[in-house]
Amino acid sequence: MAIRLVASDMDGTFLDERERVPEGALDLVRRLRDADIRFVASSGRRYDTLCELFEPVADCMDFVASNGAQVYVEGELADLEVFSHAAVRRLARIVDEFGAMHLALFDETRSFLLDDEARFEREKDKNLPNPVRVHSVPAPQVHILKASVYCDDDPMDLAYILSRELGDDFVFAPSGRRWIDVMQRGVTKATGVRQVLAAHGIAADEMMAFGDSMNDYEILRMAGASVAMGNARPAIKQIASRVIGTNAEHAVQRELERLLEAR
């Protein structure tokens, strides 16, 4: 079946090793639109930071941001999934019990750090824009869209601890070298992309998806054509239908060129 929508992760996938949009990639987004193929940025990054990256072509594409918590279709907000304040307080309490974990919470513009900024290592989509040091979870009036835990030790072990303690509320996915993405149960990149597909009348088997980390698992499993990066986690390579080169090699852009040539 012909591909009608492309959904791509950003860090470690579409973006290069310097976390930048490769030269010529914005033009590819325009060419996909002209070929009647939707392009969706599917990322743990917030919508505001994605718009900065894609500002010249933002009106040519759709966005699934904050691991599915923010969904924008043709420039309009289609869904906004806000964390439960009570659940975030439970998360903060458990993280605080373990000295090797440090919690960061995000609203639409700020990064709330529940530890000193020096305890966090900026990495991939965890660049902590507009950091604010806080000593407790922000008030319920602050809409938390994203949560991440920085780990001094192996994130796989700590993700297991968090899953055992808080598995009823959240799903925990190691992301990058030292971070764990905290996702609301029932909210993933895949739930966001399904809304984009429905808005355009496109079936999941007409979608090509690219990813490298565990927060891409669900979207790769649902896609008709699932593509893992050469730098992806081993489990992501196992579930993908194909493995290509690395983000440093601009492998996604090469695949999109092939898709357009075939069209």
Side-chain angles (χ1 to χ4, degrees):
M1 187 172 290
I3 298 300
R4 298 179 58 199
L5 182 143
V6 172
S8 180
D9 174 52
M10 292 291 110
D11 293 275
T13 305
F14 191 87
L15 304 182
D16 65 18
E17 70 279 16
R18 296 175 297 173
E19 301 176 16
R20 298 178 182 174
V21 177
E23 184 177 354
L26 297 183
D27 186 56
L28 271 173
V29 174
R30 294 189 185 95
R31 290 167 58 197
L32 287 168
R33 177 202 58 186
D34 293 342
D36 201 25
I37 301 172
R38 301 296 307 183
F39 180 76
V40 184
S42 171
S43 177
R45 289 180 181 246
R46 294 183 315 208
Y47 176 67
D48 61 324
T49 62
L50 291 174
C51 284
E52 290 175 7
L53 287 171
F54 289 96
E55 190 275 331
V57 295
D59 60 344
C60 301
M61 56 188 288
D62 301 315
F63 296 90
V64 173
S66 302
N67 288 321
Q70 296 172 291
V71 181
Y72 283 79
V73 179
E74 295 187 330
E76 298 294 329
L77 180 65
D79 192 20
L80 182 68
E81 300 286 351
V82 176
F83 277 65
S84 156
H85 180 70
V88 172
R89 290 178 61 188
R90 289 193 290 274
L91 172 64
R93 178 176 55 81
I94 294 298
V95 169
D96 191 53
E97 289 183 13
F98 298 88
M101 292 191 285
H102 316 282
L103 181 61
L105 304 170
F106 307 85
D107 68 1
E108 291 184 345
T109 60
R110 294 166 293 182
S111 306
F112 299 100
L113 308 182
L114 277 83
D115 210 332
D116 293 336
E117 190 170 349
R119 301 300 299 270
F120 298 85
E121 177 182 321
R122 285 167 166 79
E123 180 187 339
K124 299 183 84 172
D125 62 320
K126 316 303 186 303
N127 56 347
L128 308 179
N130 303 321
V132 179
R133 174 67 164 100
V134 295
H135 296 277
S136 61
V137 171
Q141 292 82 0
V142 177
H143 292 166
I144 299 301
L145 304 175
K146 175 182 172 182
S148 298
V149 175
Y150 177 73
C151 305
D152 295 334
D153 301 324
D154 186 345
M156 296 297 292
D157 291 347
L158 295 175
Y160 180 82
I161 290 174
L162 291 170
S163 295
R164 297 294 294 177
E165 297 287 344
L166 296 162
D168 290 342
D169 294 318
F170 303 108
V171 175
F172 300 94
S175 175
R177 192 174 69 89
R178 286 294 184 92
W179 286 88
I180 298 171
D181 280 338
V182 183
M183 295 176 288
Q184 302 174 74
R185 185 161 289 283
V187 179
T188 65
K189 291 182 181 182
T191 61
V193 169
R194 287 190 189 280
Q195 295 181 68
V196 179
L197 290 169
H200 296 300
I202 298 173
D205 59 3
E206 298 175 295
M207 175 178 73
M208 176 180 287
F210 297 90
D212 74 307
S213 293
M214 295 311 298
N215 61 0
D216 300 311
Y217 180 91
E218 291 85 359
I219 194 172
L220 292 176
R221 290 294 281 174
M222 70 181 278
S226 57
V227 186
M229 305 302 295
N231 50 282
R233 286 187 174 271
I236 293 299
K237 292 180 180 179
Q238 287 291 316
I239 65 165
S241 54
R242 286 194 302 126
V243 178
I244 58 173
T246 69
N247 64 313
E249 298 166 335
H250 303 172
V252 171
Q253 288 74 31
R254 291 205 304 268
E255 289 297 314
L256 296 181
E257 289 281 5
R258 294 189 186 100
L259 176 63
L260 287 166
E261 289 171 6
R263 177 61 63 93

